[in-house]
Amino acid sequence: MSKLSTPLSASLDALPNAIVAASILPFVTSTDWLNFRLQSRKFYEIVHGHDVGAALQGFGDDVGATQQQNEDEESKALWCLALVRDYRFDYRFEHQKGDEEDDGCRPLMYQTMRCNPDPDDEINPFLSTSNVFTASTAFISWKHWRKIDICLHHDEHGQQFDVSPSAQLVGPYFLRAAFLWRKIEQFCSDESLTGDLGPMIQSTLHPGVRFGRSLVEEGYQDGKLSAFKAVYSFYAGQSLGDRDGMVLPGLFGGYNVYDHLSHSCWSSPEVLTGSKVVVTKDVNDLKLTVFDVESGDLGIYFRSTRSRTPGTKAVRYGNSDDQILRWFENHANLLQKYSVGRLTPGGFKSILRYPSLNDPTNCSRAVTRGVEVVASSIYAVEIGGMFVFSIRMRMLRPEEPDYMSPEERGFDTCQLVSRYWRITHGGEVEEVRGAGVVGYYPLLSEGDHESLVSDDGGRTFHEEDSGEGIREKYFSYQSCTDGEEGSMEGYLQFKAGSILGGAGEVFDVRVAPFPLKFPQCCQY
């Protein structure tokens, strides 16, 4: 875009304001408007509206009032244009709530945020969700986006460095990032969902940083970084390892099946190879989520726990430049559907990646004679592309729905004897029967259980050490099945009383159908 010279500015003084605003200024850079406004009061009013002019010279009739309103509309249109072309807001879709605007219903482009301009501040984040606000004018919104842009794309001497269009600041991406991080903050602070785990996760998050100049120094200035910068500006990874002997909980949670433990943390960006940057890592380094700076794609790098051979799997969230943002938004939404528990008996607390009852589409629940069974599954690419299913069982307590008293159900305790599964996938039906579940024969009582293990097929039992007396309210176990989409259902056979307790009725507890399906947002 061309710049306004002083002689040209002088010649524009004779033109009507509407002509200057509609036919000339749109072809000039937004920053040059700031110089143009200093040429005269008239130009200032074109750029910023009539408030300043009205203060200097009032209008005493309706014509003047109409002129003031029109000039204010011209100023608003200019700065909305600046937000569209400089920071990729889309004005065509900004007025879906109606043409009238008030403080509670302003266009998206009026949403902006204050940034931390100090590049040496390692305590406070570059951007914070609490600093998002609705600007009173389009210019004020643009001014704050401009400040963020300067912080991201100027060196220590104030000189702007060039970045490709795919790496430029995109205002809507930053607003989406603020919204997803606010969801995560709310999840962490909701004691009913996370207990003491949420605050612990929050305490591990590193303050957001400006990944602008550092990425250029790495040679990534032409990468697809717009969404990447937005996500990392609020929080920039997690502390890993132990704290006071406790494993720090990962933001992306995990699951446990047989000898495979997955527990993923939000990673500070680190180059894996070439254009590949690690964004999540497993505590055992068996799985990494990797962002490709050049293509904008996400991938899962893994070593199979069975073959130990390295592998990779592409994870596609559409075909746009904001894949990393879409992926993170999906996780922020799913947090409300996960539960919190221990990945292993007596182990550390974590976000459990299996869908919970907060997600009834992907999680089933059935109650038989006061025994509740909750079932769901997740797709695990890193163990050969299999579905890991989680079965959680317990005897309900008096204050809970579907409770039955000991007299109604006919027993005080009951013990698992065997299992039966009917698995439908790939157009075929597979049936599985077996004693116990992965070596366990849990004994259930109201609000409690004993994790009994048998090494001789159910003839003798001993209770597994739960670690420091820690025991979940339900007994859960995980297993896996082939990675073809389908569904699974069945029943668990229990004996009233206990297996070694003499005569007791054997009865079936239903496991309602639950889906085996790939994540909706991913294309594997």
mmCIF file of all heavy atoms in Angstrom, residues 46 105 108 162 221 236 276 307 322 402 463 473:
data_model
loop_
_atom_site.group_PDB
_atom_site.id
_atom_site.type_symbol
_atom_site.label_atom_id
_atom_site.label_comp_id
_atom_site.label_asym_id
_atom_site.label_seq_id
_atom_site.Cartn_x
_atom_site.Cartn_y
_atom_site.Cartn_z
ATOM 1 N N ILE A 46 -11.790 12.454 10.464
ATOM 2 C CA ILE A 46 -12.046 11.358 9.525
ATOM 3 C C ILE A 46 -11.557 10.042 10.118
ATOM 4 O O ILE A 46 -12.238 9.016 10.047
ATOM 5 C CB ILE A 46 -11.353 11.630 8.176
ATOM 6 C CG1 ILE A 46 -12.004 12.834 7.476
ATOM 7 C CG2 ILE A 46 -11.425 10.388 7.278
ATOM 8 C CD1 ILE A 46 -11.296 13.243 6.204
ATOM 9 N N CYS A 105 -23.458 -6.366 22.963
ATOM 10 C CA CYS A 105 -23.583 -7.058 21.673
ATOM 11 C C CYS A 105 -22.754 -6.335 20.631
ATOM 12 O O CYS A 105 -23.271 -5.709 19.724
ATOM 13 C CB CYS A 105 -25.055 -7.132 21.257
ATOM 14 S SG CYS A 105 -25.359 -8.027 19.715
ATOM 15 N N LEU A 108 -17.337 -9.259 16.954
ATOM 16 C CA LEU A 108 -16.180 -9.987 17.452
ATOM 17 C C LEU A 108 -14.918 -9.153 17.359
ATOM 18 O O LEU A 108 -14.054 -9.218 18.247
ATOM 19 C CB LEU A 108 -16.005 -11.288 16.658
ATOM 20 C CG LEU A 108 -14.773 -12.120 16.991
ATOM 21 C CD1 LEU A 108 -14.872 -12.664 18.411
ATOM 22 C CD2 LEU A 108 -14.625 -13.259 15.991
ATOM 23 N N ASP A 162 10.221 -9.492 8.764
ATOM 24 C CA ASP A 162 9.196 -10.017 7.865
ATOM 25 C C ASP A 162 8.820 -11.443 8.244
ATOM 26 O O ASP A 162 9.666 -12.268 8.586
ATOM 27 C CB ASP A 162 9.692 -9.989 6.417
ATOM 28 C CG ASP A 162 9.881 -8.566 5.908
ATOM 29 O OD1 ASP A 162 9.160 -7.674 6.384
ATOM 30 O OD2 ASP A 162 10.761 -8.356 5.049
ATOM 31 N N GLN A 221 10.407 -18.544 10.091
ATOM 32 C CA GLN A 221 9.550 -17.378 9.879
ATOM 33 C C GLN A 221 8.514 -17.593 8.784
ATOM 34 O O GLN A 221 7.526 -16.869 8.708
ATOM 35 C CB GLN A 221 10.391 -16.132 9.552
ATOM 36 C CG GLN A 221 11.176 -16.223 8.252
ATOM 37 C CD GLN A 221 12.588 -16.716 8.475
ATOM 38 O OE1 GLN A 221 12.819 -17.501 9.383
ATOM 39 N NE2 GLN A 221 13.521 -16.255 7.665
ATOM 40 N N ALA A 236 2.826 -21.865 28.202
ATOM 41 C CA ALA A 236 3.894 -22.376 27.328
ATOM 42 C C ALA A 236 4.498 -23.658 27.865
ATOM 43 O O ALA A 236 5.694 -23.771 28.074
ATOM 44 C CB ALA A 236 4.985 -21.311 27.148
ATOM 45 N N LYS A 276 9.830 -30.366 12.692
ATOM 46 C CA LYS A 276 8.931 -31.007 13.657
ATOM 47 C C LYS A 276 9.202 -30.475 15.066
ATOM 48 O O LYS A 276 10.330 -30.520 15.552
ATOM 49 C CB LYS A 276 9.105 -32.522 13.650
ATOM 50 C CG LYS A 276 9.009 -33.167 12.259
ATOM 51 C CD LYS A 276 7.628 -33.037 11.682
ATOM 52 C CE LYS A 276 7.436 -33.939 10.475
ATOM 53 N NZ LYS A 276 8.373 -33.666 9.366
ATOM 54 N N SER A 307 6.314 -53.979 19.861
ATOM 55 C CA SER A 307 7.461 -54.234 18.992
ATOM 56 C C SER A 307 8.632 -53.300 19.260
ATOM 57 O O SER A 307 9.737 -53.551 18.811
ATOM 58 C CB SER A 307 7.027 -54.077 17.524
ATOM 59 O OG SER A 307 6.669 -52.729 17.260
ATOM 60 N N ASP A 322 -5.092 -23.778 11.046
ATOM 61 C CA ASP A 322 -5.309 -23.690 12.494
ATOM 62 C C ASP A 322 -5.486 -25.056 13.135
ATOM 63 O O ASP A 322 -6.179 -25.208 14.130
ATOM 64 C CB ASP A 322 -6.523 -22.809 12.787
ATOM 65 C CG ASP A 322 -7.817 -23.397 12.229
ATOM 66 O OD1 ASP A 322 -7.749 -24.301 11.379
ATOM 67 O OD2 ASP A 322 -8.909 -22.940 12.645
ATOM 68 N N ASP A 402 -31.033 -45.562 41.754
ATOM 69 C CA ASP A 402 -31.014 -46.995 41.415
ATOM 70 C C ASP A 402 -30.468 -47.866 42.544
ATOM 71 O O ASP A 402 -30.158 -49.049 42.337
ATOM 72 C CB ASP A 402 -30.220 -47.258 40.127
ATOM 73 C CG ASP A 402 -30.760 -46.500 38.938
ATOM 74 O OD1 ASP A 402 -31.990 -46.475 38.781
ATOM 75 O OD2 ASP A 402 -29.958 -45.918 38.181
ATOM 76 N N GLU A 463 -5.508 -59.827 48.507
ATOM 77 C CA GLU A 463 -5.812 -58.449 48.096
ATOM 78 C C GLU A 463 -4.548 -57.750 47.649
ATOM 79 O O GLU A 463 -3.511 -57.823 48.314
ATOM 80 C CB GLU A 463 -6.455 -57.651 49.227
ATOM 81 C CG GLU A 463 -6.893 -56.249 48.782
ATOM 82 C CD GLU A 463 -7.744 -55.543 49.823
ATOM 83 O OE1 GLU A 463 -7.867 -56.071 50.946
ATOM 84 O OE2 GLU A 463 -8.276 -54.468 49.507
ATOM 85 N N LYS A 473 -13.454 -45.400 44.823
ATOM 86 C CA LYS A 473 -14.788 -45.833 45.226
ATOM 87 C C LYS A 473 -15.306 -46.942 44.322
ATOM 88 O O LYS A 473 -16.259 -47.646 44.664
ATOM 89 C CB LYS A 473 -15.767 -44.662 45.222
ATOM 90 C CG LYS A 473 -16.013 -44.056 43.837
ATOM 91 C CD LYS A 473 -16.976 -42.885 43.926
ATOM 92 C CE LYS A 473 -17.245 -42.278 42.547
ATOM 93 N NZ LYS A 473 -18.169 -41.129 42.632
#
